[in-house]
Amino acid sequence: MRLFVSEGAPGSLPVLAAAGRAQGRAELLVSTVGPEECVVPFLTRPKIPVLQLDSGNYLFSTSAICRYFFLLSGWEQDDLTNQWLEWEATELQPALSAALYYLVVQGRKGEDVLGPVRRALTHIDYSLSRRSCPFLAGDTESLADIVLWGALYPLLQDPAYLPEELGALHSWFQTLSSQEPCQRAAETVLKQQGVLALRPYLQKQPQPGSFEGRAVSNEPEEEELATLSEEEIAMAVTAWEKGLGSLPPLRPQQNPVLPVAGERNVLITSALPYVNNVPHLGNIIGCVLSADVFARYSRLRQWNTFYLCGTDEYGTATETKAMEEGLTPQEICDKYHAIHADIYRWFNISFDIFGRTTTPQQTKITQDIFQRLLTRGFVLQDTVEQLRCERCARFLADRFVEGVCPFCGYEEARGDQCDKCGKLINAIELKKPQCKVCRSCPVVKSSQHLFLDLPKLEKRLEEWLGKTLPGSDWTPNARFIIRSWLRDGLKPRCITRDLKWGTPVPLEGFEDKVFYVWFDATIGYLSITANYTDQWERWWKNPEQVNLYQFMAKDNVPFHGLVFPCSALGAEDNYTLVSHLIATEYLNYEDGKFSKSRGVGVFGDMAQDTGIPADIWRFYLLYIRPEGQDSAFSWTDMLLKNNSELLNNLGNFINRAGMFVSKFFGGYVPEMVLTSDDRRLLAHVTLELQHYHQLLEKVRIREALRSILTISRHGNQYIQVNEPWKRIKGSEADRQRAGTVTGLAVNIAALLSVMLQPYMPTVSATIQAQLQVPPPACSILLTNFLCTLPAGHQIGTAKTPPTPAEAMAAAAPQQIQVLMDEVTKQGNIVRELKAQKADKNQVAAEVAKLLDLKKQLALAEGKPLETPKGKKKK
Amino acid sequence: MFAIITSPPVSPASSRPAPYLGPASRAQARFPRPLYVQPIVGHVSGRGRGLSSQPMGGEPCCPGPAPASSSCRKMAAAAELTLLEKSLGLSKGNKYSAQGERQIPVLQTNNGPSLTGLTTIAAHLVKQANKEYLLGSTAEEKAIVQQWLEYRVTRVDGHSNKDDIRTLLKDLNSYLEDKVYLTGYNFTLADILLYYGLHRFIVDLTVQEKEKYLNVSRWFCHIQHYPGIRQHLSVVVFLKNRLYTNSL
């Protein structure tokens, strides 16, 4: 037989690695042909590699060639291998060709390349870790491993594209790559040039079909039922039978919550939202809500948990806003602090304290850290060229200046950062700078400033990261950001500003300056804790006993992962540093970006005004949590997910389970006689519950929500197959069966109510009240599925709960929906025109239309007219 | 605690054009079925070895009524697998669920893990029915069967436009020139699934196209008459004499 290969054809990798199998069984000739040569006479498009068999037949599929080699060696086909190969052809290949094309032909990097394949990689990792087998189809290396290894090798051989957190994938890939046939195939094909060796071949290929459409996906990840061993089933049954007795005693509530030696002490912070605006859904899911889910979960695990947040109140943006609204900065802070607190209260966020940064404690702690840094020589002094507005008689910091971005030419770049290209800007580099207050052109003057000497601290930082990162749950994007900052080398960072609204700098000659928020905002966590308890140092100077989880959107990673750790390490005061930095990606709004300053998107107060209950918002936001990749908020999708997942799946199951108990068994949980099917179900539920725990321990909040939905899907199927409503009318045995099914179902419902608690606390409480779940079982979640509602347990008089259908119907009436769509559309038109730098009058006309639509919308929603959010246009 | 959120309004209905009847119906209207037909297979005798064993014999090829233009939609994978179960003579029907956007079928087996994917489940069913020979008997045949199963789920199901379909039929036509079945001489699962997968396209071919893809037509007509395979799918009519020979 004769194998045709071509320089740089990726398919050659698995084929060559598998060819060894056929050795001695047939003579194999290898011919190299050009990438565009048509070897197979009946195929119109060139296809490589190809195996021509002695019979004259051609094998033109890479997997089929590998399969043939394996078959020759006496291997037998099995379902699992078939499944992997089918998955490889239909799911992995489209994603992988897109990624390789971006990387090799278009020269793109990072997330652009990893994005398309991330889901597939996670699937492999998940399957490997879940089955706890070292190889894809069992304990030994086989066809599936070779085919997938060969497909993935060109990408994954670059460590940048082998995500560290996918541990099982990692070790599987390393094992295979170190084997001799694989090594040889890799050398032959890549010739030690890495992935670029594929360029001559890939350049000749048509661009892979649009894969972009799948990149931002809100679709559920796939679920599959794992194989269960007899042992697992037996263990699940034993745990179930122990019932309530196996619950540990409930931890007494402490006030204040303080770390306890010998316990797991979990300190959770959510990035401090800035006070100058109403938070939008992107802010809420990015930190506050995500951290809340974890805090609630942590309490369910009986871990000693303290969750804090607060408003970040100092800085230029507050001063600007105060000027806009004609108030003092303090008044602005008071006003917006209350707005924030209200919104989070409405979203049911379980803070132990929601504080603020404008307190004496903030000044005390910040100045203390600064003094320690100063005496240890980590603070530099330098002269800075700065813009000064002569008319306003002051230096213009950051957001007081606007101008043209020196990098991308964007016209409304701010003094510290360009909103369009995201690059950090030194204000004096702005072209055509303007004072934001009086619109006159500022002049460059010099001013003395203090700098944190990051280069001097870099070594300590790297040491600390080296100890912290391995085995921690830092999200991949956070690791990536920190790594790229370190790669570029740290530079001294200015920590003072010419402002009044801030923490004063305790140093002679700096009386009229304050600390920059970069330096003191992250100290807010400490001061807020200090306002909660005078024993705050037991949390913050206790790295041995405290596990610190910090939640934020990815733009906040440098402050939490670099700047604050450097300050804390330099202060040498045994500060607690972040153990797990959890950063989300961005949440987009419909097709665009949420933007506070532009007023695009859904804002916290607006969510409240729709009349849709907070729990539904929580559910949808968590369901689309930008975890691992950007995701998009969409009204239509929200309606869809509410109806399909919450109503038809979860709600339906829980209602049925409760309804059967009250309708068929007078409200008492019936006797349960478990059959082998029931035991199997117990084990499946247990497995899924354990999976939920594994995911939440790793703070994969969105994925863990899928586990809840999976269990309820199992439950629905179980009821559907066993038809208790029919059996209840049948023979004695049938009635007993109906009882068992109902009893098991209602216990699953009780379990779901607890698992749901971090996500939908109000709904969870409603279910528990209805089922009268015994109190300890409501507040503790073990890793096993227990029978918490034993036979004879009485559930609440199951009047159907007051269906808030009316409330919901009023919530999103069609008119509002139509208007919202219109607003979005018009918003897009305006943005497009602006992007095209269209004629000013035209833009103004479209903006007027937009404002009018917003007014109509506000009227339709029965809201008071809001003053347009964001900055005023000239 | 749960309630339906009213769905967003449907975009205003645009005035729809009159339904397009599809090329097949038009062609058939223009070229009414000849009363007397000769089997196509006659024309390729000499190439198609072993044809005498075909069940068609000398009967008129396709006695069924001319089908209406098909709704050009893909059969749901679950429906297709149910069809396959019947063809294989499996009495106890399985229940399938569907996964993701592409509605990939999932089978929950009684005593093992679930299986995902059309061809994976199909191969499993074949084994369940004790008809392993449908997966091929030699290493070569087994590999070829799997190759065409892969072709089915990637190329046939994954086509993106009309051109893809034309290329696909052209390639297949050229491949089948000297073959009775996809593996050569033996009927296998590859024939069944490719037949199911291509049905929606073949139904829409014009008489002229069917004649152009002569070998595909012969193979397709053969498979649809293979005992127990077609089930409820519509019979596709093939003319047994050539109308366009000169223009080919």
Side-chain angles (χ1 to χ4, degrees):
Chain A
M1 50 193 176
R2 190 162 171 193
L3 182 65
F4 295 89
V5 292
S6 175
E7 294 279 323
S12 314
L13 267 162
V15 165
L16 290 175
R21 301 277 169 167
Q23 254 168 21
R25 289 167 219 273
E27 202 184 340
L28 182 67
L29 296 168
V30 181
S31 313
T32 305
V33 296
E36 286 170 294
E37 196 161 326
C38 289
V39 181
V40 187
F42 55 86
L43 290 184
T44 312
R45 293 181 194 143
K47 190 99 171 69
I48 287 292
V50 165
L51 184 68
Q52 187 181 17
L53 303 171
D54 296 337
S55 63
N57 270 327
Y58 290 95
L59 291 178
F60 55 85
S61 137
T62 304
S63 308
I65 300 173
C66 296
R67 187 188 287 263
Y68 179 65
F69 289 146
F70 269 78
L71 285 164
L72 280 184
S73 72
W75 169 82
E76 285 190 28
Q77 322 197 67
D78 60 279
D79 287 342
L80 195 51
T81 305
N82 286 344
Q83 178 170 295
W84 274 116
L85 265 51
E86 181 172 357
W87 180 82
E88 193 266 348
T90 54
E91 303 283 326
L92 180 61
Q93 277 301 342
L96 203 53
S97 353
L100 283 176
Y101 195 84
Y102 296 153
L103 178 66
V104 178
V105 181
Q106 301 186 335
R108 295 207 238 165
K109 294 221 153 46
E111 201 48 39
D112 282 358
V113 174
L114 202 49
V117 287
R118 195 183 280 282
R119 189 161 152 186
L121 297 182
T122 310
H123 172 77
I124 301 175
D125 179 71
Y126 173 70
S127 306
L128 285 166
S129 56
R130 189 154 196 181
R131 288 209 184 80
S132 58
C133 280
F135 295 101
L136 294 174
D139 289 324
T140 50
E141 169 217 309
S142 175
L143 174 61
D145 301 294
I146 296 295
V147 170
L148 267 80
W149 171 86
L152 291 167
Y153 186 80
L155 189 66
L156 299 194
Q157 48 88 32
D158 180 348
Y161 298 111
L162 181 47
E164 275 170 44
E165 70 278 10
L166 303 180
L169 174 69
H170 225 274
S171 57
W172 169 83
F173 182 74
Q174 302 300 358
T175 310
L176 284 165
S177 300
S178 63
Q179 293 187 355
E180 219 232 314
C182 293
Q183 266 181 358
R184 242 183 305 136
E187 271 166 37
T188 316
V189 178
L190 297 190
K191 301 191 166 68
Q192 313 208 307
Q193 299 167 14
V195 75
L196 288 183
L198 305 185
R199 187 180 272 166
Y201 180 82
L202 290 181
Q203 269 175 341
K204 302 278 183 195
Q205 302 302 309
Q207 177 165 5
S210 71
F211 192 80
E212 306 280 356
R214 293 199 211 169
V216 175
S217 161
N218 295 341
E219 287 308 309
E221 297 290 318
E222 49 208 276
E223 300 147 3
E224 60 183 89
L225 284 177
T227 333
L228 292 169
S229 67
E230 286 306 317
E231 213 181 340
E232 283 173 308
I233 296 176
M235 270 163 60
V237 174
T238 316
W240 156 267
E241 281 167 351
K242 277 192 193 146
L244 286 171
S246 51
L247 284 176
L250 206 55
R251 282 188 94 252
Q253 288 266 322
Q254 284 178 297
N255 194 18
V257 185
L258 290 171
V260 179
E263 280 198 40
R264 188 179 160 95
N265 300 301
V266 180
L267 174 56
I268 301 170
T269 72
S270 153
L272 306 180
Y274 207 70
V275 267
N276 72 329
N277 243 323
V278 180
H280 59 64
L281 295 184
N283 307 132
I284 292 170
I285 184 61
C287 44
V288 179
L289 180 54
S290 297
D292 183 58
V293 173
F294 188 70
R296 286 173 179 275
Y297 171 73
S298 171
R299 294 185 191 115
L300 277 180
R301 293 297 297 273
Q302 301 252 79
W303 296 336
N304 186 28
T305 308
F306 179 57
Y307 175 24
L308 76 101
C309 185
T311 40
D312 172 14
E313 309 195 338
Y314 283 134
T316 38
T318 311
E319 283 192 11
T320 323
K321 188 77 180 179
M323 241 180 269
E324 253 175 45
E325 298 200 9
L327 297 169
T328 65
Q330 187 61 55
E331 284 167 337
I332 279 288
C333 293
D334 293 348
K335 174 182 166 192
Y336 280 96
H337 176 80
I339 291 179
H340 275 264
D342 271 350
I343 288 173
Y344 302 138
R345 201 172 303 125
W346 186 77
F347 271 98
N348 234 319
I349 306 295
S350 62
F351 300 125
D352 289 294
I353 179 173
F354 184 71
R356 44 203 305 190
T357 52
T358 48
T359 64
Q361 289 288 357
Q362 175 76 9
T363 311
K364 195 175 144 207
I365 299 172
T366 308
Q367 293 189 346
D368 172 56
I369 292 181
F370 169 74
Q371 292 291 5
R372 298 184 72 100
L373 286 167
L374 188 69
T375 46
R376 284 165 182 75
F378 294 118
V379 177
L380 305 170
Q381 192 170 327
D382 202 358
T383 312
V384 178
E385 302 273 272
Q386 228 182 325
L387 295 174
R388 185 181 161 88
C389 177
E390 298 294 354
R391 196 186 298 176
C392 302
R394 62 170 177 178
F395 284 103
L396 299 178
D398 308 331
R399 298 174 185 224
F400 280 109
V401 201
E402 262 184 14
V404 177
C405 171
F407 302 104
C408 72
Y410 180 60
E411 299 215 3
E412 290 169 38
R414 292 173 311 182
D416 55 347
Q417 197 173 17
C418 170
D419 262 348
K420 188 152 178 234
C421 66
K423 291 211 171 98
L424 298 181
I425 298 173
N426 198 345
I428 53 166
E429 291 167 2
L430 276 179
K431 292 182 197 156
K432 296 193 209 152
Q434 273 191 332
C435 167
K436 239 185 121 176
V437 181
C438 68
R439 291 287 158 206
S440 62
C441 183
V443 293
V444 177
K445 283 262 170 82
S446 59
S447 161
Q448 285 288 310
H449 279 286
L450 297 172
F451 288 75
L452 186 59
D453 193 352
L454 291 178
K456 214 166 163 182
L457 288 159
E458 189 167 342
K459 215 168 156 220
R460 295 189 195 195
L461 182 77
E462 289 203 42
E463 243 168 57
W464 167 70
L465 284 173
K467 270 187 292 176
T468 303
L469 284 183
S472 77
D473 297 324
W474 283 51
T475 50
N477 52 0
R479 291 167 194 259
F480 192 76
I481 291 168
I482 296 298
R483 219 178 304 150
S484 52
W485 274 62
L486 286 172
R487 190 192 52 215
D488 297 344
L490 299 181
K491 291 162 197 70
R493 285 256 146 213
C494 185
I495 55 169
T496 49
R497 280 293 183 270
D498 290 291
L499 282 178
K500 292 188 187 69
W501 189 240
T503 307
V505 180
L507 191 66
E508 225 185 290
F510 287 86
E511 290 83 2
D512 54 347
K513 295 181 202 280
V514 298
F515 284 114
Y516 186 31
V517 285
W518 278 40
F519 180 68
D520 87 335
T522 42
I523 297 173
Y525 301 123
L526 285 59
S527 74
I528 289 170
T529 314
N531 280 306
Y532 169 78
T533 166
D534 51 7
Q535 302 181 65
W536 66 274
E537 293 181 343
R538 287 178 60 188
W539 282 111
W540 287 99
K541 293 188 182 177
N542 192 358
E544 290 78 27
Q545 289 183 358
V546 173
N547 262 299
L548 173 56
Y549 285 81
Q550 299 201 291
F551 288 78
M552 66 205 71
K554 65 178 170 190
D555 51 348
N556 261 318
V557 170
F559 312 120
H560 292 77
L562 268 163
V563 179
F564 181 72
C566 279
S567 314
L569 288 166
E572 295 175 358
D573 208 5
N574 194 32
Y575 279 107
T576 306
L577 294 178
V578 57
S579 337
H580 308 282
L581 200 159
I582 314 296
T584 51
E585 301 287 322
Y586 292 132
L587 178 69
N588 295 316
Y589 178 66
E590 300 286 351
D591 293 324
K593 241 186 176 176
F594 271 96
S595 169
K596 262 198 280 199
S597 46
R598 278 166 230 288
V600 177
V602 183
F603 293 81
D605 48 350
M606 196 171 155
Q608 201 166 341
D609 293 339
T610 56
I612 298 172
D615 269 13
I616 306 286
W617 283 103
R618 288 177 63 115
F619 170 81
Y620 181 64
L621 289 173
L622 292 161
Y623 191 89
I624 57 167
R625 179 173 188 258
E627 194 168 295
Q629 61 184 19
D630 288 0
S631 65
F633 174 91
S634 133
W635 286 100
T636 342
D637 189 47
M638 179 160 92
L639 306 185
L640 201 73
K641 291 291 151 26
N642 174 67
N643 295 344
S644 66
E645 291 297 344
L646 270 186
L647 273 174
N648 291 343
N649 178 8
L650 192 61
N652 187 27
F653 171 68
I654 288 168
N655 276 336
R656 278 162 108 191
M659 192 259 287
F660 290 153
V661 175
S662 50
K663 201 166 149 197
F664 301 146
F665 301 96
Y668 291 92
V669 174
E671 209 59 55
M672 288 162 268
V673 185
L674 301 185
T675 66
S676 68
D677 272 356
D678 303 334
R679 293 199 188 92
R680 188 173 290 282
L681 178 71
L682 279 186
H684 273 308
V685 171
T686 305
L687 205 65
E688 203 56 55
L689 170 63
Q690 286 165 354
H691 191 51
Y692 167 93
H693 280 299
Q694 280 169 14
L695 289 169
L696 276 180
E697 281 168 18
K698 299 225 155 281
V699 209
R700 278 150 73 174
I701 293 171
R702 166 176 170 157
E703 284 181 60
L705 180 54
R706 308 286 195 258
S707 288
I708 299 179
L709 298 172
T710 303
I711 292 183
S712 104
R713 242 186 294 277
H714 285 331
N716 271 322
Q717 271 168 14
Y718 177 68
I719 291 182
Q720 208 54 40
V721 168
N722 287 292
E723 304 181 318
W725 63 92
K726 278 191 193 159
R727 289 185 197 260
I728 192 71
K729 299 183 200 128
S731 65
E732 184 57 37
D734 272 345
R735 281 210 297 283
Q736 190 193 48
R737 184 74 195 129
T740 306
V741 172
T742 305
L744 195 48
V746 78
N747 268 288
I748 296 178
L751 172 72
L752 285 172
S753 77
V754 189
M755 292 172 77
L756 203 55
Q757 204 268 344
Y759 294 87
M760 304 178 79
T762 313
V763 165
S764 160
T766 314
I767 301 171
Q768 292 177 342
Q770 254 177 54
L771 300 180
Q772 298 194 358
V773 179
C778 293
S779 340
I780 302 178
L781 188 59
L782 298 185
T783 49
N784 283 313
F785 175 26
L786 312 179
C787 177
T788 50
L789 308 179
H793 170 91
Q794 189 179 10
I795 70 165
T797 39
K799 280 182 210 126
T800 38
T803 48
E806 311 88 60
M808 292 286 234
Q814 302 215 335
Q815 192 198 359
I816 291 186
Q817 185 62 48
V818 172
L819 282 168
M820 277 174 179
D821 290 348
E822 290 289 319
V823 168
T824 321
K825 230 187 280 166
Q826 189 62 29
N828 286 334
I829 293 175
V830 171
R831 270 191 297 284
E832 248 167 54
L833 284 175
K834 283 190 179 167
Q836 295 161 2
K837 304 207 174 80
D839 173 64
K840 283 240 166 76
N841 293 329
Q842 201 188 344
V843 176
E846 296 294 338
V847 169
K849 266 193 225 165
L850 176 61
L851 290 178
D852 184 49
L853 279 168
K854 283 195 173 167
K855 210 191 287 174
Q856 286 180 34
L857 175 60
L859 281 175
E861 289 177 327
K863 282 198 298 193
L865 288 184
E866 40 186 312
T867 44
K869 295 190 179 89
K871 49 192 167 187
K872 293 219 171 68
K873 294 272 141 55
K874 41 211 126 160
Chain B
M1 75 199 91
F2 299 106
I4 291 202
I5 298 181
T6 45
S7 60
V10 184
S11 60
S14 53
S15 58
R16 283 198 195 124
Y20 174 58
L21 289 174
S25 52
R26 273 201 243 150
Q28 262 145 18
R30 236 184 298 151
F31 303 102
R33 242 166 8 118
L35 290 173
Y36 178 75
V37 288
Q38 243 188 335
I40 277 182
V41 287
H43 291 282
V44 288
S45 63
R47 286 191 196 142
R49 284 158 292 179
L51 284 179
S52 57
S53 65
Q54 287 179 37
M56 316 198 283
E59 290 164 24
C61 181
C62 298
S69 170
S70 79
S71 59
C72 195
R73 295 208 18 210
K74 202 182 131 195
M75 193 179 354
E80 180 169 351
L81 287 166
T82 309
L83 207 59
L84 179 65
E85 283 175 357
K86 286 193 190 138
S87 305
L88 293 170
L90 284 168
S91 54
K92 183 183 148 276
N94 290 302
K95 279 188 183 164
Y96 300 96
S97 45
Q99 186 180 80
E101 287 162 83
R102 295 199 298 118
Q103 295 289 294
I104 304 158
V106 180
L107 169 64
Q108 182 51 55
T109 53
N110 285 334
N111 40 11
S114 63
L115 289 176
T116 308
L118 180 72
T119 69
T120 305
I121 299 175
H124 174 80
L125 294 176
V126 163
K127 278 182 267 179
Q128 214 181 352
N130 285 321
K131 294 187 174 171
E132 267 99 341
Y133 57 87
L134 288 177
L135 299 176
S137 35
T138 61
E140 177 169 340
E141 219 174 62
K142 284 175 186 165
I144 291 176
V145 168
Q146 294 295 334
Q147 160 161 291
W148 288 105
L149 292 180
E150 182 188 313
Y151 189 84
R152 155 68 212 267
V153 285
T154 52
R155 297 292 312 281
V156 179
D157 295 350
H159 78 282
S160 47
N161 54 44
K162 285 253 177 218
D163 274 346
D164 278 1
I165 292 299
R166 274 194 283 274
T167 313
L168 190 146
L169 289 172
K170 179 169 168 282
D171 288 0
L172 206 54
N173 195 56
S174 148
Y175 176 71
L176 286 168
E177 186 169 4
D178 59 352
K179 292 181 181 64
V180 184
Y181 301 104
L182 287 167
T183 56
Y185 306 114
N186 295 316
F187 176 73
T188 63
L189 181 62
D191 294 297
I192 304 179
L193 287 199
L194 211 61
Y195 161 70
Y196 288 156
L198 286 173
H199 187 275
R200 62 184 170 134
F201 304 117
I202 303 287
V203 158
D204 277 349
L205 294 186
T206 61
V207 173
Q208 187 171 10
E209 284 168 320
K210 286 182 198 164
E211 200 170 305
K212 181 173 165 199
Y213 307 120
L214 187 71
N215 303 313
V216 174
S217 296
R218 167 180 47 80
W219 165 83
F220 190 92
C221 193
H222 183 180
I223 304 300
Q224 73 176 349
H225 287 93
Y226 207 91
I229 298 301
R230 183 174 61 83
Q231 302 287 343
H232 71 264
L233 293 181
S234 61
V235 177
V236 180
V237 179
F238 295 93
L239 303 186
K240 295 190 182 178
N241 54 348
R242 297 190 185 194
L243 293 173
Y244 300 90
T245 313
N246 294 335
S247 64
L248 273 176

